[in-house]
Amino acid sequence: MHRESDNSEIRMDKKMAPLMKKGAQTGNTDQTAGFVLLATVLGGLICGFFVFQADFPLNDGGMFYTMVQDLQRNHFILPALTTYNYSAIPFAYPPLAFYLTAFLNSFFHIELLQLFRYLPLIFCIASIPAFYLLSTQILAGKGQQILATFLYAVSPAAYTWQIMGGGLTRSPAWFFSVLGLFFFLKYIKMKRVSHLVWMGVFTALTALTHLEMVWFLALTYLTVYLYFDRTWKSLLTLGVTAMAILAVISPWLVAVIRTHGLSPFQAAFSTGGFTLTSPIAFLLSMGGVDKMSLAFISLLAILGIFLQARQKEWFLFLWLLVLVFLDPRSSQRIAAIPIALLAAVSLWAFLKWIDKNKTAVDETVSDQTVLLKRPVAVTLLAILIYALFLNLYLFYAGISYLQTVNLENRQAMAWVKENTPADSRFVVLDFPYGWFSDSVAEWFPALAERQSLLTVQAQEWLPGSASQVSTQLSAATNCKLEGLACFEKWQAKSHTEFDYLYFSSNTRSDYLAPQYSSVIEAQASASANYQLVFSNADVRIYQVLK
């Protein structure tokens, strides 16, 4: 850092010049609003398709469902523990989204499961125009800003984890953090107290909704400050703002720390782990290795890095590096912002090249006019249709996380709730791709109200527990094709005692479920040690007799 002086202010202004310039012309405001509205509608159609094709929250959210009910049962006073999975888990999660959901359910009588479907969707769609506002503070020219908004709207990373049931907290936190960053950039440029106040408000709302997003904001705020400012005055101002934010969220923090100490937060932040190879692989592919609909956006982003390097503009690339290496657990989601911005830089250059008359360099022609010219508009439309197709392909190919707990599982869980002892212990085996996509095991404790021994969700609030349970789940799942001997060997080694085995393929209704989910189940069905007590088209439940 350096002392403030006239020279330092001049240096800062020069460095921020690429971000502060307006482009050739601002163009028609109505046209810009129309483009942003169109991008919002397009993104809303994609998100809405996934939400409306299911009659139940997508993927996760079972833990939050129970926590909302815990809050209601405790008359809107924060409980010390959540009843989820009967594991003495601290009720340490930021509670703002739970209060909102509980309030809407209790006082407006909106069905709780419907709130888990639609609240994440609403905030996810709202993040698209919020992203446009953010892009106006980073990219020069309306053309790049509009294109960035379209690319963000069709990027799976921008909506996949937001519209799930667990998006009840992720989606509003994402929306708040985008607006917080928007006002922070405006403050850095204009030094207006009102911008700092709004930045503090949205940062506090983020902290009260999702702690992980606070780390994203902290990394971004620090990156912006070190790259563009580095003055003592701004550092002091930001420090005061941080103290004000802590004061706002302190009632919740103090309540949790007084009851549980710091251990729940230490446990939560220690999950996920870090390996050097993962961030490097992410950077080399721009997150597009397993997501076809990200592939062309990733390629555009890589080209955008080189185009910005030619202009000696390094902020977006450095910001991306910071997020990928210092927040690898969330990089698939949070990197969507700089990737979309970088991709817009190269796409805008390409579309200007497409424009044969080269009007994009004409000072009298706005960026919006260029986008509306036939060759440019047709090219952009083709790209967006292709992106739409690839987004839907993820679902129909069965490789999307945006699946849900099928009706057969919900019926089975209702049977468990009504017909098994309250202290029954279950091993739920639906053989997920990873514990983060294990929707059946996560919703089981919430709907069946019985303990699931291999459910990883919520264990991150207990020191070392998440790693231990996920290891056990992997070991049990690995026995799928080896059979009952492998499974019982794991059971003996792990000292896992349970009363029921719950098998499911969670097959979508338009496909015929297999007779058995695994070799384990096939052999258990013929074993005298297990008795079939429930079955339907997709679920079989066996009681342990020995």
Side-chain angles (χ1 to χ4, degrees):
M1 279 181 287
H2 51 76
R3 294 176 55 188
E4 289 190 90
S5 64
D6 292 339
N7 290 336
S8 67
E9 293 294 336
I10 292 172
R11 286 194 296 271
M12 184 181 73
D13 289 344
K14 285 182 177 180
K15 198 164 191 178
M16 295 191 69
L19 300 186
M20 298 182 71
K21 61 188 179 183
K22 297 293 185 181
Q25 286 188 12
T26 57
N28 189 295
T29 302
D30 292 338
Q31 286 182 333
T32 301
F35 278 118
V36 175
L37 177 61
L38 183 60
T40 303
V41 170
L42 178 61
L45 288 174
I46 295 173
C47 299
F49 166 80
F50 290 107
V51 172
F52 288 114
Q53 59 81 29
D55 61 349
F56 194 77
L58 299 171
N59 195 17
D60 60 357
M63 177 182 71
F64 295 161
Y65 182 81
T66 299
M67 294 179 83
V68 170
Q69 293 177 316
D70 290 336
L71 193 61
Q72 291 172 313
R73 283 190 289 262
N74 208 42
H75 308 291
F76 286 79
I77 299 172
L78 280 179
L81 303 172
T82 174
T83 60
Y84 180 76
N85 211 13
Y86 304 97
S87 300
I89 296 166
F91 200 111
Y93 207 98
L96 181 60
F98 304 148
Y99 272 105
L100 172 63
T101 307
F103 174 80
L104 292 174
N105 174 248
S106 297
F107 296 99
F108 290 92
H109 307 292
I110 304 173
E111 187 181 355
L112 196 55
L113 284 173
Q114 298 308 314
L115 290 170
F116 271 74
R117 293 178 66 201
Y118 297 125
L119 281 178
L121 176 64
I122 291 170
F123 280 104
C124 184
I125 295 174
S127 73
I128 297 173
F131 173 86
Y132 168 75
L133 293 176
L134 176 60
S135 73
T136 63
Q137 302 304 303
I138 298 176
L139 295 177
K142 291 297 180 183
Q144 292 183 5
Q145 296 160 12
I146 291 169
L147 290 177
T149 307
F150 274 106
L151 292 173
Y152 173 84
V154 301
S155 173
Y159 68 80
T160 298
W161 289 94
Q162 276 81 335
I163 62 175
M164 296 177 181
L168 187 76
T169 62
R170 290 189 291 261
S171 195
W174 182 252
F175 173 71
F176 296 145
S177 62
V178 170
L179 288 178
L181 181 53
F182 163 70
F183 281 108
F184 178 65
L185 283 165
K186 285 185 74 71
Y187 167 75
I188 288 294
K189 293 178 182 180
M190 305 174 71
K191 295 297 188 290
R192 292 182 182 174
V193 175
S194 60
H195 295 151
L196 196 64
V197 170
W198 281 112
M199 167 259 193
V201 168
F202 285 112
T203 303
L205 289 173
T206 302
L208 289 172
T209 311
H210 199 289
L211 275 183
E212 198 171 327
M213 292 307 301
V214 178
W215 181 238
F216 157 70
L217 281 181
L219 290 174
T220 302
Y221 290 161
L222 183 61
T223 303
V224 170
Y225 167 75
L226 292 176
Y227 190 85
F228 293 119
D229 200 330
R230 299 196 302 275
T231 61
W232 286 107
K233 180 180 179 180
S234 292
L235 182 62
L236 178 61
T237 305
L238 292 175
V240 172
T241 305
M243 296 301 294
I245 293 170
L246 281 174
V248 171
I249 68 174
S250 62
W252 161 66
L253 276 178
V254 170
V256 174
I257 294 172
R258 182 184 299 165
T259 305
H260 304 289
L262 294 174
S263 60
F265 301 110
Q266 293 170 339
F269 277 106
S270 66
T271 59
F274 175 81
T275 60
L276 185 61
T277 55
S278 179
I280 292 175
F282 182 94
L283 282 173
L284 291 176
S285 65
M286 284 295 174
V289 170
D290 60 344
K291 296 179 177 62
M292 286 182 61
S293 49
L294 275 179
F296 77 94
I297 299 178
S298 302
L299 176 60
L300 289 172
I302 293 171
L303 294 175
I305 292 174
F306 286 103
L307 289 176
Q308 289 223 306
R310 289 183 60 188
Q311 309 267 336
K312 294 184 170 52
E313 297 175 10
W314 296 101
F315 169 69
L316 286 174
F317 181 53
L318 292 175
W319 183 21
L320 180 64
L321 290 178
V322 168
L323 296 181
V324 171
F325 280 96
L326 298 184
D327 194 5
R329 176 177 173 175
S330 302
S331 57
Q332 288 282 354
R333 284 173 281 162
I334 60 180
I337 294 179
I339 286 177
L341 295 170
L342 284 166
V345 172
S346 56
L347 181 57
W348 177 241
F350 174 68
L351 292 179
K352 287 196 297 181
W353 177 78
I354 288 290
D355 179 15
K356 294 180 180 179
N357 293 326
K358 306 297 181 185
T359 54
V361 299
D362 188 343
E363 293 292 333
T364 65
V365 177
S366 70
D367 291 354
Q368 295 93 322
T369 300
V370 174
L371 290 173
L372 289 171
K373 294 193 69 176
R374 180 175 297 177
V376 175
V378 169
T379 303
L380 179 58
L381 182 61
I383 290 173
L384 294 176
I385 291 174
Y386 178 62
L388 179 62
F389 164 77
L390 290 177
N391 275 276
L392 299 182
Y393 170 80
L394 286 176
F395 173 76
Y396 285 109
I399 56 177
S400 171
Y401 294 139
L402 297 176
Q403 307 295 334
T404 190
V405 178
N406 64 17
L407 178 61
E408 289 80 7
N409 270 285
R410 284 174 267 155
Q411 292 171 339
M413 293 174 193
W415 181 91
V416 168
K417 180 179 177 180
E418 298 296 329
N419 295 278
T420 63
D423 60 350
S424 299
R425 295 163 298 174
F426 282 74
V427 167
V428 177
L429 291 176
D430 59 316
F431 307 100
Y433 172 75
W435 68 264
F436 43 82
S437 62
D438 194 359
S439 57
V440 173
E442 176 168 357
W443 280 97
F444 180 88
L447 300 182
E449 297 183 7
R450 299 294 183 269
Q451 186 176 23
S452 171
L453 300 177
L454 296 184
T455 295
V456 180
Q457 286 83 355
Q459 298 298 323
E460 63 265 26
W461 296 98
L462 299 173
S465 184
S467 175
Q468 180 181 356
V469 177
S470 62
T471 299
Q472 298 297 345
L473 174 63
S474 296
T477 298
N478 288 340
C479 292
K480 178 179 182 178
L481 298 180
E482 294 190 42
L484 195 57
C486 171
F487 178 78
E488 291 181 340
K489 181 179 179 181
W490 160 81
Q491 178 190 358
K493 183 178 180 181
S494 63
H495 306 289
T496 303
E497 299 295 331
F498 54 90
D499 304 301
Y500 295 90
L501 271 172
Y502 183 110
F503 291 101
S504 171
S505 300
N506 197 32
T507 306
R508 285 162 48 191
S509 58
D510 51 342
Y511 293 102
L512 181 65
Q515 182 178 3
Y516 297 111
S517 65
S518 60
V519 177
I520 303 173
E521 182 190 347
Q523 294 178 351
S525 68
S527 172
N529 295 326
Y530 303 92
Q531 179 183 356
L532 181 68
V533 294
F534 175 89
S535 68
N536 62 22
D538 190 72
V539 180
R540 273 77 55 192
I541 302 175
Y542 294 84
Q543 184 176 7
V544 180
L545 300 180
K546 62 178 180 178

